[in-house]
């Protein structure tokens, strides 16, 4: 059973494959009742994401004014869907999924194959003149006060304008795109992201910046290419290695490596030096971004599969698909990077709002050691901007079990074990920042006391733990579900 | 210049970007304001597109567009 699931997971090449796999497992549904683009699609997506463990993907195929078009939401919207993507059964715990991903880190090799453009499914249909994005994309307003219609789950591929032939310096990342008329869109990024660097380099040198926007992609790409990795690592190679499966690439019409099996690819070129108003957009902290002037791209061509599926995401005040999509892969790199220096780190939970709050479990080597580990976490690539609140717990506390974390806070935290680091870098969209981009960090040391700390450790009750107990709790849950049927 | 007024910045001259059709009949129209770049569909709930009901917190002052920051400055 487990091996079948793993094999099925490795044979996924496209969104379509994955939707079929999810459908067979009861994790994808088709919504054929007629809906209005607003507010129905949003409302249904939000209602689904209330069930973070078991929500299905939803494919809409009867949206008013978009006859014959399909939109998918919630493809990565639950832990069960993530489990199936990783080749694990429904009901796999978040902790198990975390170690599944952490175990793959740096372990496997990439398998990249190339498909000639003429045989790539993504190029089945091609539009090079009379371009109107609305002809292809059944868009809708994701949150009520968004400034327009957004593509919230687009993977954007580009080459470094100063090093066009370097495969490794190709960037693939998820950026929010706002439609700005039939053949234009704005892209939001910050200078430290790869796309931000490439935009600034193009404008500094006057070199053209061409991009390919991929929609409805291999579901592994969104999971593994959403979080920054080293600038000279290819996200395609990385996603292939982490999935333990081949990835099929082809070329876009404007010469960029793209996934051969994506649903839709939009080719575009940046309008150097131009900026137009972008936003607001309901972002992952659960608040709207401001309105700013962002770079604008002009669409030069669109390729798509026959009867394409437009994949989008609901993002806003949590819990949402954004949290299940990026949560584990935000946590696992921090874990791997910390363990290079501190093998005492036993798990990292950075599921909350892209790691604005993180919980790290560590075997204390000496009194105060957890604080040292916390400071190291702040200097990991993700920690620099995102890890705002850190809770440090002992190795006997599961950071994925918030009841246990609260126990540690209640019984092992002293008020003078809290550190506030004022005026640190912050993600610009954190609404609690002092000014956008600058804010305070908080470390709560909820680990127990060790010498030379004069306060002794309490005499702990040791309830039974371990695999046997995990299996028993799954059995109880299964018996309960069985009883309901 | 069209008479369609933008529900976000109250400026006229909105463009018609697209019409959703079913059996040749127009179901809704997507408009875009060239002044503040707001896009909307005329079938959306009034709370989003009726200037009298929309939250004033999300209004854009068309007379003061300079206040909006340009991202990625060299
Ligand atoms: Zn306007």
């Amino acid at each position: 059973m487990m091996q079948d699931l793993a094999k099925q997971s490795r044979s996924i090449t496209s969104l379509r494959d994955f939707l079929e796999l999810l459908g067979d497992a009861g994790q994808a549904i088709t919504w054929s009742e007629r809906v209005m683009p607003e507010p129905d699609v949003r409302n249904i997506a939000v209602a689904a994401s209330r069930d973070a463990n078991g929500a299905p993907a939803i494919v809409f195929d009867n949206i008013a004014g978009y006859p014959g078009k399909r939109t998918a939401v919630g493809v990565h919207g639950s832990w069960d869907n993530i489990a199936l993507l990783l080749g694990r059964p429904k009901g796999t715990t978040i902790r198990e999924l975390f170690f599944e991903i952490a175990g793959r880190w740096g372990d496997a090799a990439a398998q990249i194959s190339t498909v000639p453009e003429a045989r790539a499914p993504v190029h089945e249909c091609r539009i090079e003149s009379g371009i109107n994005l609305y002809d292809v994309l059944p868009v809708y307003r994701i949150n009520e006060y968004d400034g327009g219609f957004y593509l919230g789950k687009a993977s954007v591929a580009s080459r470094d304008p100063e090093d066009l032939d370097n495969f490794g310096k190709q960037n693939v990342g998820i950026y929010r795109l706002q439609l700005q008329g039939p053949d234009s869109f704005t892209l939001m990024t910050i200078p430290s992201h790869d796309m931000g660097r490439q935009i600034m380099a193009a404008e500094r040198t006057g070199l053209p910046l061409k991009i390919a926007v991929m929609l409805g992609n291999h579901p592994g790409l969104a999971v593994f290419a959403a979080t920054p990795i080293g600038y000279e690592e290819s996200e395609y190679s990385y996603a292939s290695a982490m999935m333990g499966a081949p990835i099929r690439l082809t070329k876009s019409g404007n010469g960029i490596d793209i996934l051969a099996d994506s649903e839709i690819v939009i080719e575009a070129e940046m309008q150097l030096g131009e900026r137009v108003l972008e936003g607001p957009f309901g972002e992952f902290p659960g608040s709207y971004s401001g309105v700013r002037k962002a770079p604008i791209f002009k669409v030069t061509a669109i390729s798509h599969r026959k009867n394409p599926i437009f994949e989008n995401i609901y993002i806003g005040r949590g819990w949402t698909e954004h949290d299940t999509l990026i949560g584990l892969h935000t946590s696992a790199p921090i874990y791997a990077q910390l363990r290079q220096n501190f093998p005492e780190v036993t798990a990292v939970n950075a599921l909350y709002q892209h790691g604005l709050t993180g919980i790290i479990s560590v075997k204390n080597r000496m009194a105060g050691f957890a604080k040292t580990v916390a400071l190291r976490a702040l200097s990991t690539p993700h920690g620099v901007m995102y890890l705002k609140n850190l809770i440090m717990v002992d190795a006997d506390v599961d950071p994925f079990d918030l009841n246990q974390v609260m126990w540690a806070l209640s019984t092992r935290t002293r008020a003078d074990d809290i550190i506030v680091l004022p005026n640190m870098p912050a993600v610009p969209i954190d609404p609690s920042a002092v000014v956008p981009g600058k804010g305070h960090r908080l470390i709560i040391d909820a680990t127990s006391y060790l010498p030379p700390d004069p306060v002794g450790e309490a005499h702990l009750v040791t309830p039974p733990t371990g695999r046997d107990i995990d299996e028993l709790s799954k059995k109880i849950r299964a018996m309960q579900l069985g009883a309901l049927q | 210049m069209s008479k369609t007024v933008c529900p976000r910045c109250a400026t006229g001259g909105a463009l018609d970007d697209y019409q959703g059709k079913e059996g040749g009949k127009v179901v809704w129209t997507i408009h875009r304001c060239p002044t503040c770049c707001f896009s909307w569909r005329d079938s959306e709930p009034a709370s989003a597109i009726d200037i009298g009901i929309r939250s004033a917190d999300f209004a854009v002052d068309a007379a003061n567009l300079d206040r909006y920051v340009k991202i990625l400055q060299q």
Side-chain angles (χ1 to χ4, degrees):
Chain A
M1 165 76 179
M2 289 274 280
Q3 276 177 342
D4 284 355
L5 285 172
K7 206 171 139 193
Q8 274 176 24
S9 152
R10 283 194 302 270
S11 69
I12 298 167
T13 64
S14 66
L15 173 65
R16 289 177 189 212
D17 290 351
F18 188 49
L19 283 172
E20 203 181 310
L21 187 156
L22 290 177
D24 290 345
Q27 287 301 121
I29 60 173
T30 302
W31 195 284
S32 294
E33 200 179 310
R34 181 179 161 92
V35 293
M36 289 303 288
E38 301 85 13
D40 296 344
V41 177
R42 172 197 317 145
N43 289 352
I44 294 164
V46 168
S49 61
R50 283 189 181 175
D51 179 8
N53 286 324
I58 301 175
V59 180
F60 296 92
D61 65 0
N62 186 6
I63 309 168
Y66 291 126
K69 294 199 179 76
R70 297 187 286 172
T71 290
V73 299
V75 174
H76 300 83
S78 62
W79 298 119
D80 280 348
N81 285 14
I82 299 289
L84 291 166
L85 174 62
L86 298 174
R88 300 293 297 267
K90 284 165 70 171
T92 304
T93 64
I94 304 172
R95 184 183 173 83
E96 288 171 316
L97 293 174
F98 167 78
F99 283 108
E100 175 72 41
I101 287 187
R104 295 180 186 197
W105 181 273
D107 201 35
Q111 309 160 59
I112 302 288
S113 64
T114 308
V115 180
E117 285 160 68
R119 282 200 278 123
V122 66
H123 288 310
E124 279 169 359
C125 307
R126 179 98 182 141
I127 304 166
E128 292 181 338
S129 61
I131 290 166
N132 191 328
L133 291 164
Y134 295 108
D135 280 333
V136 181
L137 308 175
V139 292
Y140 54 92
R141 194 182 306 279
I142 295 178
N143 275 299
E144 190 173 22
Y145 290 111
D146 288 350
F149 303 107
Y150 274 86
L151 314 183
K153 208 178 182 182
S155 285
V156 180
S158 59
R159 287 177 181 274
D160 185 327
E162 294 180 287
D163 196 357
L164 284 174
D165 295 326
N166 190 322
F167 180 78
K169 279 197 199 171
Q170 249 179 167
N171 173 49
V172 182
I174 295 187
Y175 300 94
R176 71 175 200 237
L177 309 179
Q178 180 184 349
L179 298 196
Q180 301 275 358
D183 66 350
S184 299
F185 57 83
T186 39
L187 181 150
M188 179 51 67
T189 179
I190 54 176
S192 61
H193 282 182
D194 293 347
M195 182 58 75
R197 289 194 231 190
Q198 293 187 350
I199 289 171
M200 292 181 78
E203 294 190 331
R204 195 170 53 240
T205 57
L207 293 166
L209 178 62
K210 296 177 182 182
I211 64 172
V213 176
M214 300 177 282
L215 292 163
N217 305 318
H218 186 299
L221 189 73
V223 172
F224 296 116
T227 299
I229 53 171
Y231 184 57
E232 300 208 2
E233 284 177 82
S234 156
E235 283 89 352
Y236 292 127
S237 306
Y238 180 72
S240 167
M242 290 298 279
M243 284 295 296
I247 277 195
R248 287 163 31 104
L249 296 182
T250 190
K251 284 269 189 293
S252 62
N254 58 355
I256 298 162
D257 289 303
I258 57 170
L259 294 174
D261 301 283
S262 288
E263 294 291 325
I264 301 165
V265 167
I266 302 164
E267 299 167 13
E269 182 166 344
M270 188 172 66
Q271 307 299 292
L272 294 178
E274 277 189 42
R275 298 286 188 277
V276 303
L277 289 185
E278 192 270 358
F281 181 65
E283 269 287 0
F284 69 83
S287 44
Y288 285 97
S289 71
V291 176
R292 280 166 293 176
K293 292 176 182 145
I296 184 159
F297 289 74
K298 197 165 172 71
V299 179
T300 50
I302 302 171
S303 281
H304 65 83
R305 295 179 69 148
K306 287 177 193 146
N307 194 13
I309 304 166
F310 168 59
E311 189 192 3
N312 213 350
I313 190 171
Y314 178 75
I315 175 170
R317 189 163 159 185
W319 194 267
T320 76
E321 182 184 354
H322 185 263
D323 299 302
T324 32
L325 171 65
I326 64 166
L328 289 172
H329 195 252
T330 302
S331 308
I334 299 168
Y335 172 74
Q337 287 149 5
L338 284 177
R339 281 178 62 93
Q340 286 171 1
N341 306 103
F342 299 120
E344 295 87 353
V345 173
T346 57
V348 173
N349 172 357
L351 300 180
Y352 304 101
Q353 283 63 56
H354 207 358
L356 287 182
T357 293
I359 306 158
I360 298 174
S361 58
V362 58
K363 289 185 191 121
N364 250 344
R365 216 193 277 166
M366 61 201 91
F369 178 68
K371 296 182 188 70
T372 311
V373 175
L375 293 171
R376 173 72 188 91
L378 298 187
S379 67
T380 58
H382 193 71
V384 169
M385 295 299 282
Y386 286 84
L387 289 178
K388 182 177 67 168
N389 306 316
L390 272 181
I391 302 170
M392 306 302 292
V393 296
D394 286 293
D396 67 349
V397 172
D398 175 3
F400 292 98
D401 181 340
L402 295 189
N403 287 336
Q404 292 190 32
V405 175
M406 291 307 289
W407 173 78
L409 282 173
S410 302
T411 63
R412 290 178 171 172
T413 307
R414 295 180 293 198
D416 58 358
D417 262 342
I418 287 172
I419 304 169
V420 174
L421 298 155
N423 299 314
M424 298 278 286
V427 204
I429 55 177
D430 176 1
S432 76
V434 177
V435 292
K438 193 175 103 169
H440 309 327
R441 302 293 181 97
L442 170 66
I443 297 167
I444 302 177
D445 185 352
T447 59
S448 49
Y449 324 121
L450 277 179
D453 195 317
V455 181
E457 173 61 278
H459 294 287
L460 290 176
V461 172
T462 46
T465 56
R467 182 173 288 265
D468 290 352
I469 302 299
D470 293 346
E471 291 306 319
L472 284 172
S473 58
K474 279 186 195 170
K475 186 174 174 182
I476 292 166
R477 181 85 183 127
M479 286 169 72
Q480 192 183 2
L481 288 172
L484 288 175
Q485 277 162 9
Chain B
M1 192 157 143
S2 86
K3 290 203 189 76
T4 312
V5 172
C6 171
R8 178 161 85 162
C9 76
T11 308
L15 307 161
D16 292 357
D17 276 349
Y18 192 72
Q19 291 187 318
K21 293 181 184 167
E22 286 173 5
K25 224 181 95 196
V26 174
V27 184
W28 42 252
T29 302
I30 289 177
H31 302 289
R32 176 168 46 101
C33 171
T35 304
C36 79
C37 299
F38 185 64
S39 295
W40 73 100
R41 186 182 338 256
D42 61 8
S43 62
E44 289 187 62
S47 57
I49 63 166
D50 182 330
I51 198 165
I53 299 176
R54 255 180 81 85
S55 165
D57 292 348
F58 295 94
V60 164
D61 180 2
N64 190 14
L65 296 177
D66 287 344
R67 64 177 283 244
Y68 298 104
V69 175
K70 218 185 246 190
I71 69 157
L72 303 179
Q73 299 258 53
Q74 297 288 339

